[in-house]
Amino acid sequence: MGRVWSPGSAVATSSRPTLYSVTGNAIGVVAATTLASGVEFVEALTIVLAMGTTRGWRSTLIGVGAALAALAVITALAGYALKSWLPEALLQLVIGSLLLIFGLQWLRKAILRASGLKALHDEDDAFRAEVEAARAAGEERRLGLDWFAFVVSFKGVFLEGLEIVFIVITFGLNADSIALATVGAAIGGVIVLAAGVALHKPLARVPENTIKFVVGLLLSTFGTFWAVEGLGWFAPDDASLSWPGGDAALLVLLAAWCALAWATVRLLAPRGREEVA
């Protein structure tokens, strides 16, 4: 149960959505985790393809498997710890604030690229750089593995995966279902993996900046939504606040963030054209 938040409003109660009900929260969780994991998996796939094609697939895939196992353990432990140690309102405040910061970072990069002030990420260039590094590296074998291929694959998947883990945990805890967020992340991974296997090359044609723009908007929207709910932790009863209209407030917040991002791109675009010229 939570208190409805509005400027100077009276206290009222409302029920939070059930675990698997089709709400704005649930749809947003799956959409955000699918898109975010897809972007990160594209970058990890580039590294894995470079190592596999130049150094061999056995050591590369073992590195990938080790990274995925480590990420699974981190997800389980961190999710359990946060859920067990923090009260609901404080959890919403902490995770919402972190999600908002994280979302604003994605949104900032996407806005700079959309306005021309920052170069678009080129997956083909990244692939060529990884291939050159793999070919230049010396031979070193440990535990029967090509150590360079193992370490680079492990590091690439693990570091890209940490961002996915963060999003899965934050969205999963606030939606009361890490499983639901994990499904979204898995969908993104399967789509990227299937495309990579089919094409046998980096996914350079993926509209990465557009996807990052959308993810940044979603993260900022949900971060704002949950952080405000978590402000109830400062109240005497520690109960979460509830937005007027419940999950429908997400659409209003999303529209506000879209308008702000669009206005920022329009404002910065002339400077981007000047730098290109």
Side-chain angles (χ1 to χ4, degrees):
M1 304 292 286
R3 293 178 291 111
V4 174
W5 173 85
S6 61
S9 67
V11 174
T13 59
S14 65
S15 299
R16 294 187 62 80
T18 56
L19 193 62
Y20 292 104
S21 60
V22 180
T23 65
N25 257 323
I27 295 172
V29 166
V30 175
T33 52
T34 297
L35 291 173
S37 68
V39 171
E40 300 300 337
F41 274 119
V42 165
E43 297 180 6
L45 177 67
T46 298
I47 297 172
V48 171
L49 283 174
M51 293 303 107
T53 55
T54 56
R55 308 283 300 197
W57 284 105
R58 179 175 175 272
S59 298
T60 297
L61 293 179
I62 291 176
V64 171
L68 292 176
L71 290 170
V73 172
I74 291 173
T75 302
L77 293 179
Y80 174 79
L82 289 172
K83 187 69 174 177
S84 302
W85 295 345
L86 299 180
E88 181 183 9
L90 180 57
L91 184 68
Q92 289 172 319
L93 178 60
V94 171
I95 288 181
S97 299
L98 291 174
L99 203 60
L100 179 58
I101 293 171
F102 199 60
L104 288 175
Q105 290 177 338
W106 278 54
L107 202 53
R108 173 182 170 275
K109 291 179 181 178
I111 287 173
L112 290 175
R113 285 170 174 156
S115 61
L117 291 173
K118 186 178 178 69
L120 293 173
H121 182 74
D122 191 324
E123 215 60 47
D124 284 332
D125 283 346
F127 179 75
R128 283 191 290 269
E130 293 291 343
V131 168
E132 289 175 5
R135 288 174 176 167
E139 288 289 338
E140 180 181 1
R141 302 195 70 83
R142 298 184 187 178
L143 305 176
L145 301 174
D146 180 327
W147 201 243
F148 184 84
F150 173 82
V151 170
V152 172
S153 299
F154 175 88
K155 184 175 71 172
V157 173
F158 185 78
L159 293 180
E160 299 295 343
L162 279 179
E163 296 193 38
I164 300 174
V165 167
F166 173 80
I167 293 172
V168 166
I169 290 175
T170 51
F171 272 89
L173 287 177
N174 275 289
D176 290 326
S177 178
I178 288 183
L180 187 64
T182 302
V183 167
I187 291 172
V190 169
I191 291 173
V192 170
L193 179 61
V197 170
L199 298 175
H200 301 290
K201 63 180 182 178
L203 304 183
R205 294 180 178 271
V206 172
E208 183 178 352
N209 199 58
T210 301
I211 297 174
K212 284 189 173 181
F213 216 123
V214 173
V215 173
L217 290 170
L218 289 174
L219 298 184
S220 300
T221 297
F222 279 89
T224 303
F225 185 85
W226 289 328
V228 170
E229 284 191 326
L231 291 175
W233 183 70
F234 294 105
D237 59 0
D238 294 340
S240 300
L241 299 177
S242 295
W243 285 80
D247 288 344
L250 287 166
L251 297 178
V252 178
L253 287 173
L254 180 59
W257 278 114
C258 287
L260 180 60
W262 176 83
T264 305
V265 171
R266 292 294 299 270
L267 181 65
L268 295 176
R271 289 178 53 191
R273 287 194 292 268
E274 288 176 4
E275 291 195 8
V276 171

